[in-house]
């Protein structure tokens, strides 16, 4: 199987698996327990917190470990909003956020908050002037993702943060897709909180983290919680966290080499697709993008068909949207960038990883060429 769905999840790397096994054997104690086994686990936990802080150039006291990116988004947003609810009831986000954020804001609307969903242009970028125009006296927080997981568009988070902070508005950014793939030096960025996830960086599933600037007040979702300094309930997954931080440090070190290689793979793949005897639309290739993500449409061919046929022929890819009982919903991101529903369900996403090779790129193009030829012959 050629695996080209790394934006969905990555295979855990050997070093992370080894760390998980060692930590599970030797640091199995509950990190909140007062006996020696608990103290040893707590020391490892705090070492991991310090290492992740160094990786992000952030104060370790603002790092809280969670079960993954979705929980990180929800806990960060809820905690910040509750602590600042006295300032107003208006929130801002974009129309192409991760489903965890969009569902969260829909819930906040049910509780009486007003939410502005910023539109994006045909490449998936928000307009800073529209963001500025959406700000009100009662605006307390905005959540804008760093990188889009479907088409890879990178938002200008430095400019966004400066604008929001000039108005006294908190800024949360979902950095799950960009962590260890783009530089994230929080000491230099006007961001109040971010979310990251382990399984996007070759660590285990079920682990993630939130960073909240320690100077920013937050109110814990559940009162009287003791774990993670009261930020999150539940026994802390110390082995998973150790494996996560191990994987993140290694991927961070590899970032320059990986990014250059992804650019070369992307260029080659797009060239191979462009040489096919069928129509091909590369989504949002005219703006700054995560180079390991390539969003594609083959006009007249549903993405779900391409995905299933690729899978049958040994190539794992994604439609970038949910499928249920054989029914494919149009990609929300595709709709937001102006595609029709028919065009939106044509979307297919290819995403590379550290183990993706030139040979796999060539073979993936051959698979696509063959299955599309078969499709059009039968039409």
């Amino acid at each position: 199987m050629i695996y080209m769905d790394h934006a969905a999840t990555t295979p855990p790397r050997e070093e992370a698996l080894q760390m998980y096994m060692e930590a599970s054997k030797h640091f199995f104690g509950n990190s909140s327990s007062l006996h020696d086994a608990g103290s040893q686990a707590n020391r490892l936990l705090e070492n991991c917190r310090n290492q992740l802080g160094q990786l992000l150039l952030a104060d370790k006291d603002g790092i809280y470990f969670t079960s993954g990116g979705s929980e990180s988004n929800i806990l960060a947003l809820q905690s910040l909003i509750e602590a600042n609810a006295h300032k107003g009831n208006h929130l801002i986000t974009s129309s192409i956020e991760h489903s965890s954020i969009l569902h969260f804001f829909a819930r906040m609307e049910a509780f009486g908050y007003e939410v502005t969903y910023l539109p994006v242009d045909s490449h998936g970028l928000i307009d800073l002037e529209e963001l500025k125009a959406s700000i009100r006296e009662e605006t307390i927080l905005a959540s804008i993702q760093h990188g889009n997981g479907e088409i890879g568009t990178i938002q200008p988070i430095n400019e966004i943060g400066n604008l929001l902070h000039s108005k006294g508005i908190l800024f949360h950014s979902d950095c799950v897709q960009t962590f260890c793939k783009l530089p994230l030096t929080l000491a230099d960025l006007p961001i109040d909180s971010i979310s990251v996830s382990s399984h996007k960086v070759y660590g285990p599933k079920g682990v993630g983290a939130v960073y909240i600037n320690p100077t920013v007040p937050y109110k814990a979702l559940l009162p009287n919680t003791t774990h993670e300094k009261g930020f999150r309930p539940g026994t802390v997954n110390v082995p998973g966290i150790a494996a996560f931080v191990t994987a993140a440090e290694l991927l961070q070190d590899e970032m320059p080499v990986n990014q250059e290689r992804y650019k070369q793979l992307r260029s080659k793949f797009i060239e191979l697709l462009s040489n096919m005897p069928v129509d091909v639309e590369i989504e949002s290739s005219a703006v700054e993008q995560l180079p390991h993500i390539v969003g594609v449409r083959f006009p007249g061919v549903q993405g779900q068909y391409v995905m299933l046929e690729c899978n049958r022929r040994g190539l794992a890819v994604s439609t970038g949207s949910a499928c249920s009982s054989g029914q494919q919903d149009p990609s929300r991101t595709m709709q937001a960038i102006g595609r029709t529903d028919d065009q939106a369900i044509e979307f297919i996403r290819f995403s590379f990883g550290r183990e993706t090779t030139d040979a796999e790129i060539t073979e993936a193009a051959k698979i696509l060429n063959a299955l599309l030829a078969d499709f059009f012959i039968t039409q």
Side-chain angles (χ1 to χ4, degrees):
M1 172 70 74
I2 298 173
Y3 186 74
M4 293 179 65
D5 197 19
H6 291 82
T9 195
T10 55
R13 63 192 298 161
E14 186 62 32
E15 297 93 335
L17 293 173
Q18 288 296 323
M19 175 57 75
Y20 185 87
M21 291 174 59
E22 289 301 310
S24 295
K25 289 179 184 177
H26 303 296
F27 299 91
F28 58 84
N30 187 322
S31 59
S32 294
S33 296
L34 298 180
H35 46 59
D36 286 351
S39 297
Q40 290 171 353
N42 187 65
R43 281 194 292 273
L44 176 58
L45 174 63
E46 293 310 310
N47 283 339
C48 290
R49 199 183 314 277
N50 185 59
Q51 288 171 271
L52 186 55
Q54 292 177 354
L55 204 62
L56 292 167
L57 285 186
D59 188 334
K60 66 178 180 62
D61 291 334
I63 291 173
Y64 307 94
F65 291 106
T66 69
S67 68
S70 291
E71 188 192 33
S72 292
N73 282 325
I74 293 165
L75 289 180
L77 291 169
Q78 184 73 54
S79 301
L80 290 172
I81 290 168
E82 285 203 17
N84 292 274
H86 61 283
K87 296 180 180 179
N89 71 334
H90 180 236
L91 310 168
I92 300 172
T93 191
S94 84
S95 57
I96 61 170
E97 296 296 312
H98 186 264
S99 59
S100 63
I101 288 179
L102 291 175
H103 292 158
F104 172 83
F105 279 113
R107 182 173 183 272
M108 297 308 289
E109 287 182 289
F111 282 96
Y113 284 84
E114 294 185 35
V115 181
T116 295
Y117 296 90
L118 294 172
V120 294
D121 65 16
S122 60
H123 301 296
L125 286 171
I126 69 164
D127 186 307
L128 290 175
E129 289 303 314
E130 288 187 349
L131 171 60
K132 185 176 181 180
S134 71
I135 294 172
R136 311 176 190 171
E137 284 287 329
E138 61 270 24
T139 305
I140 59 175
L141 176 144
S143 180
I144 308 293
Q145 64 187 194
H146 190 191
N148 183 267
E150 291 186 67
I151 58 177
T153 300
I154 300 168
Q155 301 291 345
I157 56 172
N158 195 62
E159 290 86 346
I160 292 169
N162 284 329
L163 172 58
L164 293 170
H165 280 188
S166 72
K167 305 292 184 179
I169 297 167
L170 295 172
F171 180 28
H172 171 75
S173 187
D174 176 353
C175 295
V176 167
Q177 288 291 350
T178 56
F179 178 53
C180 296
K181 301 177 183 73
L182 294 178
L184 266 178
T185 53
L186 297 184
D188 302 324
L189 288 171
I191 294 179
D192 299 294
S193 67
I194 70 165
S195 53
V196 297
S197 182
S198 167
H199 75 102
K200 305 289 190 182
V201 297
Y202 302 90
K205 294 176 178 64
V207 187
V210 167
Y211 170 77
I212 297 180
N213 189 319
T215 66
V216 176
Y218 75 84
K219 185 177 180 180
L221 180 64
L222 294 178
N224 303 316
T225 294
T226 57
H227 294 289
E228 285 302 274
K229 296 176 282 187
F231 183 74
R232 175 184 184 265
T235 302
V236 179
N237 179 7
V238 175
I241 290 165
F244 165 36
V245 173
T246 296
E249 287 185 323
L250 291 168
L251 195 61
Q252 180 84 353
D253 289 341
E254 296 166 356
M255 185 195 304
V257 172
N258 283 339
Q259 293 306 91
E260 186 58 37
R261 195 170 61 84
Y262 294 153
K263 290 176 183 176
Q264 294 173 3
L265 291 173
R266 177 188 177 85
S267 179
K268 178 176 181 176
F269 190 52
I270 290 175
E271 181 182 359
L272 290 170
L273 293 178
S274 300
N275 290 333
M276 288 184 179
V278 297
D279 291 335
V280 181
E281 296 289 340
I282 309 297
E283 293 293 351
S284 304
S285 59
V287 296
E288 187 179 6
Q289 286 181 297
L290 290 165
H292 69 290
I293 293 178
V294 183
V296 175
R297 286 189 300 112
F298 300 104
V301 189
Q302 288 195 8
Q304 183 170 301
Y305 170 83
V306 176
M307 182 269 290
L308 293 173
E309 281 298 304
C310 281
N311 182 67
R312 190 170 68 85
R313 299 167 193 238
L315 172 61
V317 298
S318 172
T319 60
S321 60
C323 296
S324 177
S325 301
Q327 298 299 313
Q328 182 186 4
D329 295 327
S331 161
R332 185 187 295 111
T333 298
M334 288 294 99
Q335 292 172 316
I337 65 175
R339 305 296 179 258
T340 66
D341 286 355
D342 286 343
Q343 290 173 328
I345 63 173
E346 294 168 348
F347 181 74
I348 193 86
R349 180 188 67 190
F350 303 87
S351 48
F352 316 137
R354 54 189 296 271
E355 68 277 11
T356 306
T357 65
D358 278 2
E360 287 179 328
I361 292 292
T362 301
E363 183 60 26
K366 288 180 181 177
I367 290 170
L368 288 165
N369 199 34
L371 76 85
L372 289 168
D374 289 348
F375 175 84
F376 285 108
I377 287 172
T378 61
Q379 297 305 300

